[in-house]
Amino acid sequence: MVMALTVIKNASALPSDANQPIRLLADRATYVERTGVTTYSGNVTIEQGTLKIASDNIMLNLSNDRKIKNAVATGRPATFQQVISQEKGLAKGQANRIDYNAITGIVTLTGNAKLTQSGSKFSGNTIRYSLKAGDVEANAGGGQRVELVFPPNGGSSQKSVR
């Protein structure tokens, strides 16, 4: 397990989070040198600065130099959260599966996906979210519709026509 924890130190996060230590807790961890796949199972939590991921299982795919290429978290639901910036605040997401591409900074939530950022709520079958830019793309699928909920304008500055 010590080797697996050392490998995680190369995870890509926001610049402010990237300098923070990584804390990983799981009931079980396995690492296969030949494939570069590390699997954590049983109440898994990963924290690095403001980035937090919790799930039943997490699988990490590593490059030859032992940096994380991507992570796949599964659970009912798997969750993540991260403070994007002071202006944008905390982004929170959950889904049956969360794919994180460490190279692009794109998080893909699949299966009963929900995302909240800056008071706005998105839900659908699949949500793609850029941790770097804050862009969101939601898709429904299966005859469902995407739902977006925006917070009301902050104040009653609207004027009457009379």
Side-chain angles (χ1 to χ4, degrees):
M1 180 137 169
V2 173
M3 176 181 233
L5 291 174
T6 304
V7 168
I8 274 212
K9 284 191 172 187
N10 296 318
S12 176
L14 291 181
S16 61
D17 288 341
N19 297 324
Q20 302 296 318
I22 294 172
R23 182 170 188 223
L24 186 138
L25 296 170
D27 294 337
R28 183 178 146 158
T30 58
Y31 174 68
V32 179
E33 177 78 32
R34 181 180 48 80
T35 62
V37 174
T38 304
T39 305
Y40 301 92
S41 59
N43 196 26
V44 183
T45 58
I46 297 176
E47 296 181 10
Q48 183 181 28
T50 67
L51 177 65
K52 295 177 176 59
I53 299 172
S55 67
D56 297 330
N57 300 291
I58 293 181
M59 181 179 65
L60 303 176
N61 290 306
L62 308 175
S63 63
N64 291 337
D65 57 353
R66 299 195 195 280
K67 291 186 179 177
I68 295 174
K69 294 191 293 188
N70 67 339
V72 177
T74 56
R76 298 280 176 181
T79 63
F80 88 93
Q81 69 179 39
Q82 185 173 32
V83 174
I84 302 305
S85 67
Q86 286 186 347
E87 300 81 31
K88 293 181 182 178
L90 182 68
K92 294 173 84 173
Q94 70 176 44
N96 296 339
R97 177 182 169 126
I98 298 175
D99 290 89
Y100 171 59
N101 184 318
I103 297 164
T104 64
I106 302 290
V107 174
T108 303
L109 308 161
T110 306
N112 198 26
K114 296 177 178 154
L115 176 72
T116 304
Q117 179 189 348
S118 301
S120 298
K121 297 178 183 179
F122 305 85
S123 62
N125 185 54
T126 304
I127 298 173
R128 288 177 35 95
Y129 179 65
S130 170
L131 290 174
K132 295 176 184 175
D135 297 341
V136 178
E137 175 185 292
N139 294 301
Q144 300 289 320
R145 296 177 58 115
V146 172
E147 181 179 11
L148 306 168
V149 179
F150 298 100
N153 289 338
S156 57
S157 62
Q158 295 181 352
K159 300 195 186 243
S160 172
V161 293
R162 296 181 191 219

